[in-house]
Amino acid sequence: MLLAHSVGTQVITFVLRPTMSYRAIELDVPAAWLGVLGASFAIAPLLLALPAGHAADRYGERRIAVTGAMLLTAASVAFLAFGHTIPGLVAAGILLGTGHLGCVIAQQALVANTTGLGGHDTAFGRYTFAASLGQAAGPVLIAALGGEQAIPDTGRIFLWSCVLAAVMIVLSALLSRSPRPDAQDRDGTPNVRSLLRRPGLAHALVTSCVVLAALDITLVYLPALGTEQGLTSGTIGLLLIIRGVASMGSRFFLGRLSRAIGRRRLLISSTVAAAAAMLLTPLPMPLWLLAPVLVVLGYGLGVGQPLTMSWMAESAPPGLRGRAMSLRLVGNRTAQLLLPGAAGLMAAGMGAAGVLLITGVGLGWAGVAARRLPADA
């Protein structure tokens, strides 16, 4: 049920976010406003993630999931009813970001609280695999529901999103609830500072931020690199699919990999391998050689997120795991906003290749820094 909930959340999100942009294009919205629409989704995680994590710890994950699903439904209705104006799109985008936040915080806290010690690597690997599956299915649904024209039938997509979001409310109500910790098991200082002092948590947070920012940079700058090197859009699309499939594969088998290699060694090796692949990607090479480089890149980037989730879940005590997951989400969103722009400024004049090279250096630093994480239990 939890994995179905994860898939559904990402499907709705990755249907509505691109469709919001299509509706803005239909309305001849200026390019500057497209950035505002995109930012409207990110406002909620930055402002409300920590309170949402606290609420999940206090009231239980199922209530937060139901609230998130209701907000996803409200967002779908708002897109349908008020999406013909810029303020309506912005308001609906904020609702969408808030609903997505509630669902994701509830899911991650539920995984953290219901998984036994030693099983978090497998659990978070399967969870992030399900999320990746939903993200891949979203664009497919846009193509299926929107027709074959350049700009899809946005009204029809918004209508079907209302139906999908209503199903999410039912799924949320059927989720199990993790056992509440006794009062004596709760941390006496349940705040961000006390969480960051937990062994390994701060280092896992930094690694998570860098890996996720590198993933976003890859999605944005690989097409730009293809343009610079004369690769077709179909070739770049194939390379992105290869990277995505490699990430999903590493997540599905994460538990086995972790047991065979060791969690810290796996995180270090995968991050360093991703860094090496990122450094090689801008170099001119034939497609048959570039494809395996993207496999290595996808594998390394796919491992980083669930492993750092697992580390943070085991570092935080019962009763604080929702806040630990929300703290990670705040860090990730901040990195997504700041690091790509910083890489672009540092690589000014070097083009997409320069951005990818600098990102590869950052990934390498994150891999080396991961040596400071606690040894495997």
Side-chain angles (χ1 to χ4, degrees):
M1 192 63 67
L2 173 63
L3 295 180
H5 195 274
S6 175
V7 171
T9 300
Q10 300 302 332
V11 165
I12 292 172
T13 302
F14 277 74
V15 164
L16 286 178
R17 290 193 71 189
T19 306
M20 175 174 64
S21 297
Y22 280 125
R23 173 59 65 88
I25 294 172
E26 286 181 329
L27 298 175
D28 294 324
V29 171
W33 275 95
L34 291 177
V36 175
L37 292 175
S40 67
F41 177 84
I43 289 174
L46 287 176
L47 299 180
L48 301 176
L50 290 176
H54 184 276
D57 288 331
R58 182 172 183 180
Y59 301 111
E61 301 88 356
R62 185 167 56 195
R63 290 184 182 181
I64 305 304
V66 170
T67 303
M70 293 176 68
L71 287 169
L72 288 180
T73 306
S76 301
V77 173
F79 276 122
L80 186 63
F82 308 110
H84 56 281
T85 65
I86 294 177
L89 288 176
V90 171
I94 293 174
L95 284 173
L96 177 62
T98 308
H100 177 266
L101 169 69
C103 290
V104 168
I105 289 293
Q107 292 160 6
Q108 294 180 7
L110 192 58
V111 174
N113 285 320
T114 58
T115 303
L117 189 64
H120 283 98
D121 294 344
T122 299
F124 276 112
R126 299 291 171 86
Y127 166 72
T128 51
F129 174 85
S132 298
L133 188 61
Q135 292 168 6
V140 175
L141 280 180
I142 290 178
L145 297 174
E148 298 179 356
Q149 59 268 37
I151 297 179
D153 185 347
T154 54
R156 185 183 181 194
I157 296 174
F158 288 149
L159 179 60
W160 276 102
S161 296
C162 294
V163 177
L164 293 175
V167 173
M168 284 295 298
I169 296 177
V170 178
L171 287 177
S172 300
L174 295 176
L175 286 175
S176 60
R177 176 176 173 172
S178 65
R180 298 292 90 196
D182 295 331
Q184 60 267 28
D185 293 333
R186 294 179 182 271
D187 195 309
T189 55
N191 53 46
V192 173
R193 187 172 300 176
S194 67
L195 280 174
L196 289 174
R197 286 198 294 263
R198 308 289 300 189
L201 197 142
H203 296 303
L205 178 63
V206 170
T207 303
S208 174
C209 294
V210 174
V211 169
L212 187 62
L215 177 59
D216 277 8
I217 289 172
T218 302
L219 295 176
V220 172
Y221 283 97
L222 192 61
L225 179 70
T227 301
E228 293 176 1
Q229 297 186 352
L231 300 176
T232 66
S233 60
T235 299
I236 294 298
L238 175 62
L239 291 173
L240 288 173
I241 291 173
I242 290 173
R243 185 215 59 78
V245 171
S247 293
M248 293 173 69
S250 67
R251 289 172 173 179
F252 189 80
F253 296 105
L254 185 64
R256 296 181 184 179
L257 290 171
S258 179
R259 287 190 295 271
I261 302 175
R263 181 188 294 168
R264 183 170 64 179
R265 186 177 300 172
L266 177 60
L267 183 60
I268 294 171
S269 62
S270 63
T271 307
V272 171
M278 186 78 79
L279 292 172
L280 290 174
T281 298
L283 302 179
M285 66 182 77
L287 183 61
W288 63 265
L289 186 58
L290 183 57
V293 170
L294 267 292
V295 170
V296 175
L297 180 62
Y299 162 85
L301 295 179
V303 165
Q305 288 300 301
L307 266 192
T308 52
M309 284 184 190
S310 178
W311 229 306
M312 295 184 74
E314 294 187 0
S315 297
L320 289 179
R321 287 172 178 154
R323 269 159 283 192
M325 295 297 105
S326 65
L327 180 62
R328 175 187 165 278
L329 189 59
V330 170
N332 285 351
R333 288 294 182 267
T334 302
Q336 284 178 297
L337 289 174
L338 299 181
L339 292 186
L345 289 175
M346 293 174 65
M350 299 173 63
V355 175
L356 293 174
L357 288 172
I358 290 176
T359 304
V361 172
L363 270 176
W365 169 81
V368 173
R371 293 184 303 169
R372 301 177 64 183
L373 284 164
D376 299 352

